Amino acid sequence: MEESISNKIDLHKININSNPPTEEPSRQYFFMAKCRGWVKDFEEKNGRTPTACVTTFGCQMNARDSEKLLGILEAIGFSPSDSEQADFVIYNTCTVRDNANQRVYGRLGVLKRYKKANPRMKVALCGCMMQEATVIEKLKKSYSFIDLIFGTHNIYKFAELLWASFESEGMLIDIWKDTDKIVEDLPVERKYPYKSGINIMFGCNNFCSYCIVPYVRGRERSREPGEIIREIERLVAEGVVEVMLLGQNVNSYGKNLDEPITFAQLLRKVEQIEGLERIRFMTSHPKDLSEELIAVMKQSKKICRHLHLPLQSGSTRILQQMNRRYTREQYIELADRIRREIPDIAITTDIIVGFPGETAEDLEETIDMVRRVKYDNAFTFIYSKRTGTPAAAMENQVPPEQVKEGFDRLLKVVQDTAREQAAKYQGRIMDALIEEIMEDRHSMEEKQSIEDEHSMEEMHSIKEKHSAENNVPMVTGRLSNNTIVHLPGDASMIGKIVPVSLDECHGFYYIGHCILDETGAK
Ligand code: SAH
Ligand code: SF4
Ligand code: F3S
């Protein structure tokens, strides 16, 4: 196998006057070297390094893609910035619900003003929303100040597109319908030193009737297990202790590889990576969750005690209309089995309210399901009509006024159940991975709540802030079951897994203390 190209490839050594290589990723490194020339030129003219801001909307896969965008921008020589008054701003967009789109349009208005003040500024858009023809039409018509637009399938060509946009005037648009290509080994700038997402597959073949993801992310493609393992080994060597394996439906991982392998088998391989301490994954489709997976989770020392198992609806009739391919009873049976086999596991879910044709009885069934399964957390969404999906053409769309009341009722049950579940661990000692200084966490999540569709509608968590009267410096950690715990500590603990006594439950999170302190050990 060819030796992988390191993240720290020396762009200076690339001859930018030759023809661009045809193979990837060498071709992109060639264009990164070219773009570096543009940055040098900028520096000479302006006496400073150009800044770049990457703003992410949507799910963890987009967050991971954004790390790749930033990795490339940094390799080129841009200095990263959190401010959208930067020299280069890129929005990595989401279109799973209409409000995600509306937020992008709203913020583009602001970017337009920034660009007026700084005409050298470059604005780019990419991600799922760009895969929709109607969006591109609208951008062409009303947002002509945008310099570069590309989609989800050619994101690996970012460096090449950036170069082309530097070289051209006006709006450059490159959208592909689909791809079967997976390009490995491009630079990545990770947000956290101690944990990382890893794509194990791209796209989705499920076509749930409400969902636009299969249309904008294309067909399911799995990465080779060897590539995944090598990437994780590299991350562990850099200090990562927790990985999150990402895919729209991880339970169907590996089915279409030349040498098929199951997700459970992949997990077994990941488990063996020395130095890796925690494994998470997302998302599991209930219809594909195997006995083998439950067995592997049960035996594993590293797989976290948390399963995100989207329900969507508790009514078999609605599930059928949604094309979810499981019944209410099958889901209950599965959840019961998981709770039986892996006690202490947290089960979380996604629920849609107001799907076409949903009646009060259907919603009751969903609410009943929350009580039965005792979800540790649930993301609840109001159904959003996505053009081109089968559900958008269904006749019996539910009027928004009707949805609101049911949504609030569901939310209340979700919150009560989650509180009850969280309280179960009072007084226990559990391992927590320390993630950040507590203040940082709040400001970060507040910022993220604007950008992240999921946390935007996350129904509990950060609203109830820690009300400690004392001023002891605090850190925030995460238990294996994804529960948050705040405890006295300092920055030296970040990235470490420590035993924590869960002293006080405050609704959805704990205040605790590290028990190593008591023995004086470090
Ligand atoms: N692949 C994941 C979900 C990805 S989208 C899975 O199947 O579980 C994340 C969540 O957004 C979904 O679980 C669903 O609850 C919600 N969602 C997707 N399309 C939606 C729509 N049109 N309206 C409202 N919520 C939607
Ligand atoms: Fe959308 Fe369904 Fe695929 Fe999830 S499994 S991304 S909800 S189509
Ligand atoms: Fe994710 Fe949104 Fe795309 S949820 S896959 S970023 S449409």
Side-chain angles (χ1 to χ4, degrees):
M1 189 171 277
E2 195 191 61
E3 190 52 44
S4 77
I5 298 180
S6 126
N7 271 352
K8 303 201 170 51
I9 199 163
D10 192 351
L11 296 182
H12 293 290
K13 295 209 176 113
I14 297 175
N15 175 8
I16 55 171
N17 298 316
S18 62
N19 285 331
T22 47
E23 74 281 10
E24 300 290 3
S26 310
R27 186 176 172 87
Q28 297 314 310
Y29 281 93
F30 172 88
F31 283 105
M32 278 180 236
K34 285 249 201 216
C35 288
R36 188 168 260 201
W38 184 93
V39 168
K40 287 266 159 336
D41 201 40
F42 182 103
E43 285 171 342
E44 271 163 32
K45 280 193 195 125
N46 300 285
R48 63 175 179 88
T49 310
T51 53
C53 174
V54 181
T55 300
T56 312
F57 299 81
C59 64
Q60 308 222 24
M61 281 184 240
N62 257 20
R64 181 66 179 158
D65 284 347
S66 289
E67 292 185 341
K68 295 177 183 168
L69 296 171
L70 195 60
I72 290 170
L73 288 163
E74 286 200 36
I76 289 169
F78 279 91
S79 71
S81 163
D82 286 336
S83 159
E84 292 187 355
Q85 279 167 304
D87 299 298
F88 181 80
V89 176
I90 181 162
Y91 281 181
N92 189 8
T93 63
C94 170
T95 187
V96 76
R97 287 169 289 274
D98 187 54
N99 55 5
N101 299 43
Q102 294 316 318
R103 279 189 291 137
V104 167
Y105 289 127
R107 288 174 69 162
L108 279 176
V110 180
L111 279 195
K112 188 177 180 178
R113 286 208 305 279
Y114 291 160
K115 185 160 177 173
K116 259 210 177 106
N118 173 14
R120 261 182 320 238
M121 177 179 176
K122 297 249 170 220
V123 177
L125 294 178
C126 66
C128 297
M129 199 176 148
M130 301 304 121
Q131 293 296 137
E132 291 180 278
T134 49
V135 169
I136 300 299
E137 284 317 306
K138 181 164 173 165
L139 293 172
K140 278 207 270 200
K141 212 166 127 216
S142 313
Y143 298 84
S144 58
F145 68 94
I146 296 164
D147 300 283
L148 172 62
I149 297 177
F150 56 97
T152 54
H153 304 302
N154 54 349
I155 188 165
Y156 73 88
K157 281 198 175 274
F158 176 46
E160 184 170 352
L161 291 162
L162 194 60
W163 173 251
S165 133
F166 288 156
E167 288 288 279
S168 65
E169 287 291 317
M171 192 187 265
L172 180 73
I173 305 178
D174 190 16
I175 309 287
W176 297 2
K177 282 221 157 6
D178 212 338
T179 184
D180 53 8
K181 226 177 151 108
I182 296 176
V183 178
E184 307 277 356
D185 294 325
L186 285 164
V188 181
E189 184 57 36
R190 280 183 290 109
K191 195 163 169 179
Y192 304 97
Y194 52 86
K195 67 170 180 181
S196 179
I198 317 274
N199 297 108
I200 62 164
M201 58 205 298
F202 302 91
C204 182
N205 284 352
N206 284 312
F207 291 95
C208 302
S209 66
Y210 50 82
C211 184
I212 199 160
V213 171
Y215 305 88
V216 297
R217 286 274 176 172
R219 291 297 62 72
E220 192 178 291
R221 305 173 307 285
S222 294
R223 284 176 73 193
E224 289 293 338
E227 294 284 357
I228 296 167
I229 299 298
R230 271 203 297 155
E231 183 176 346
I232 300 175
E233 283 171 347
R234 252 192 330 254
L235 289 167
V236 169
E238 290 169 15
V240 164
V241 292
E242 176 180 304
V243 292
M244 165 85 90
L245 309 179
L246 299 171
Q248 292 298 353
N249 179 12
V250 292
N251 295 330
S252 70
Y253 168 80
K255 287 191 178 140
N256 301 321
L257 287 170
D258 292 341
E259 289 172 47
I261 147 171
T262 64
F263 179 55
Q265 286 169 324
L266 176 72
L267 281 173
R268 281 214 176 90
K269 286 179 193 275
V270 176
E271 173 101 17
Q272 281 161 18
I273 298 175
E274 222 167 290
L276 181 68
E277 311 237 21
R278 280 183 168 185
I279 305 166
R280 298 183 186 277
F281 52 85
M282 178 165 244
T283 298
S284 286
H285 195 305
K287 79 175 162 66
D288 297 316
L289 199 145
S290 64
E291 287 293 332
E292 190 194 7
L293 178 67
I294 299 175
V296 169
M297 287 184 81
K298 189 174 170 174
Q299 290 155 7
S300 169
K301 298 262 179 310
K302 296 184 180 175
I303 301 174
C304 287
R305 286 337 193 202
H306 174 212
L307 185 69
H308 188 62
L309 194 63
L311 169 70
Q312 313 303 359
S313 169
S315 149
T316 296
R317 194 179 65 84
I318 294 293
L319 286 170
Q320 198 181 9
Q321 296 286 306
M322 287 176 160
N323 191 28
R324 290 290 289 179
R325 287 173 276 172
Y326 52 85
T327 63
R328 171 188 175 83
E329 288 69 33
Q330 284 168 331
Y331 187 103
I332 293 176
E333 216 239 308
L334 180 61
D336 283 351
R337 186 153 21 115
I338 293 164
R339 289 226 190 264
R340 211 168 42 237
E341 295 287 328
I342 314 168
D344 274 2
I345 197 166
I347 302 182
T348 59
T349 203
D350 291 347
I351 295 170
I352 298 176
V353 181
F355 182 83
E358 188 181 73
T359 62
E361 291 77 59
D362 293 319
L363 185 68
E364 276 321 306
E365 289 202 79
T366 301
I367 292 178
D368 178 64
M369 200 72 166
V370 173
R371 293 205 181 95
R372 272 194 86 131
V373 179
K374 295 198 173 64
Y375 289 113
D376 295 79
N377 188 1
F379 298 102
T380 48
F381 305 106
I382 290 179
Y383 168 73
S384 173
K385 187 171 169 175
R386 308 316 288 134
T387 311
T389 61
M394 291 179 185
E395 275 167 11
N396 38 7
Q397 304 283 323
V398 184
E401 337 53 275
Q402 206 172 307
V403 178
K404 184 76 178 76
E405 188 270 333
F407 182 86
D408 291 345
R409 224 149 35 82
L410 168 68
L411 190 57
K412 170 105 190 19
V413 178
V414 163
Q415 288 176 334
D416 291 348
T417 311
R419 257 194 218 101
E420 270 165 40
Q421 286 293 102
K424 286 196 313 197
Y425 303 101
Q426 177 93 31
R428 295 260 296 265
I429 291 167
M430 291 176 125
D431 282 347
L433 169 60
I434 305 303
E435 300 202 328
E436 53 231 334
I437 301 286
M438 195 173 127
E439 290 75 16
D440 284 354
R441 176 187 169 72
H442 288 313
S443 54
M444 191 196 76
E445 294 220 10
E446 267 159 26
K447 180 171 178 288
Q448 207 178 30
S449 70
I450 323 172
E451 293 163 9
D452 179 343
E453 215 14 51
H454 241 131
S455 55
M456 181 69 184
E457 295 180 55
E458 188 169 2
M459 290 318 159
H460 55 257
S461 71
I462 42 154
K463 293 246 164 55
E464 297 177 46
K465 291 196 177 173
H466 173 48
S467 56
E469 286 92 44
N470 52 25
N471 278 325
V472 184
M474 304 280 279
V475 290
T476 298
R478 196 179 289 271
L479 306 180
S480 167
N481 67 15
N482 220 30
T483 302
I484 294 293
V485 56
H486 302 298
L487 57 146
D490 59 41
S492 71
M493 293 166 77
I494 293 175
K496 299 208 170 95
I497 295 178
V498 296
V500 175
S501 163
L502 304 174
D503 302 327
E504 293 165 41
C505 182
H506 287 242
F508 308 114
Y509 65 88
Y510 276 91
I511 302 292
H513 71 281
C514 172
I515 59 162
L516 291 183
D517 291 349
E518 286 167 4
T519 61
K522 251 279 152 287

